[in-house]
Amino acid sequence: MIFHKLRMKNFGVYAGEHEIELCPEKKGSPVILFGGLNGRGKTTLLDAIQLLFFGKLNKCSNRGRNAYDKFLFESMTRGINPADGSSLELEFEEGYESSSEGYWIKRSWTKTNGKIQEKFEVLKGGERDDFLSQNWLENVDRFLPFGLAELFFFDGEKIESLAEE
């Protein structure tokens, strides 16, 4: 799988809209590293991808035992109008061949009348895929197996905790 772009709107420390290129410029450089001081959003980037793929099943770093709706609300950037909401989008390819299909997934949520309203949408080859949009959690393992996701998305704190054990 090849990630191309991650877009975030009002997610955690990322106030406003942000777009991050995730595809290396050189083919021989398949690793992307993010560095920064504590509290600058490195783990939030990883959480965004996990939330996009796994929704209510996510194992994001700051979820704890919170109910999903509460987690979504607390993931909104502080100080925004909850009715404006937050969103995450990811463009990716399923395979490594030039013929692999492009996908775009978007998860967005708002809080109105005290309730979280969440939307999820999948585009495949530029066209909305209603089946995947409505049945994503039953099909996500085809793209990113839930049991293996933790092996691919980890930060320095996780490595440190494993080393201490």
Side-chain angles (χ1 to χ4, degrees):
M1 180 182 314
I2 300 172
F3 293 164
H4 289 280
K5 291 181 184 173
L6 174 66
R7 294 182 190 99
M8 298 180 289
K9 177 185 166 199
N10 296 327
F11 183 68
V13 297
Y14 294 95
E17 296 183 23
H18 301 272
E19 182 174 286
I20 300 168
E21 293 284 338
L22 296 173
C23 193
E25 292 179 16
K26 292 193 260 179
K27 282 194 172 193
S29 305
V31 175
I32 300 286
L33 295 174
F34 291 94
L37 298 172
N38 290 342
R40 298 297 194 247
K42 301 176 299 296
T43 302
T44 303
L45 286 173
L46 299 175
D47 287 347
I49 294 170
Q50 288 198 60
L51 179 56
L52 263 165
F53 274 99
F54 301 115
K56 64 184 176 183
L57 300 178
N58 77 73
K59 292 185 177 181
C60 293
S61 64
N62 61 347
R63 181 166 181 187
R65 295 180 186 259
N66 286 340
Y68 185 56
D69 284 356
K70 183 175 182 182
F71 168 74
L72 287 178
F73 177 70
E74 290 179 355
S75 295
M76 292 180 171
T77 301
R78 289 187 182 130
I80 68 156
N81 180 348
D84 292 340
S86 297
S87 65
L88 301 168
E89 302 174 40
L90 182 69
E91 291 178 31
F92 67 95
E93 289 177 53
E94 183 176 11
Y96 298 100
E97 306 296 324
S98 58
S99 61
S100 64
E101 293 202 74
Y103 289 85
W104 174 86
I105 56 177
K106 179 177 182 179
R107 188 173 302 277
S108 59
W109 61 98
T110 59
K111 185 171 185 177
T112 52
N113 299 326
K115 290 194 170 211
I116 293 287
Q117 302 294 319
E118 181 185 30
K119 294 179 186 173
F120 183 77
E121 182 178 14
V122 178
L123 272 67
K124 178 180 175 182
E127 300 288 324
R128 181 175 163 79
D129 188 315
D130 289 326
F131 177 79
L132 280 177
S133 295
Q134 295 168 10
N135 300 287
W136 182 254
L137 288 178
E138 291 83 10
N139 292 279
V140 69
D141 277 357
R142 181 176 122 199
F143 301 98
L144 183 63
F146 181 70
L148 298 177
E150 287 185 90
L151 300 175
F152 293 99
F153 303 107
F154 52 87
D155 60 11
E157 286 103 14
K158 185 167 190 166
I159 292 171
E160 185 179 17
S161 71
L162 291 171
E164 287 175 354
E165 290 177 9

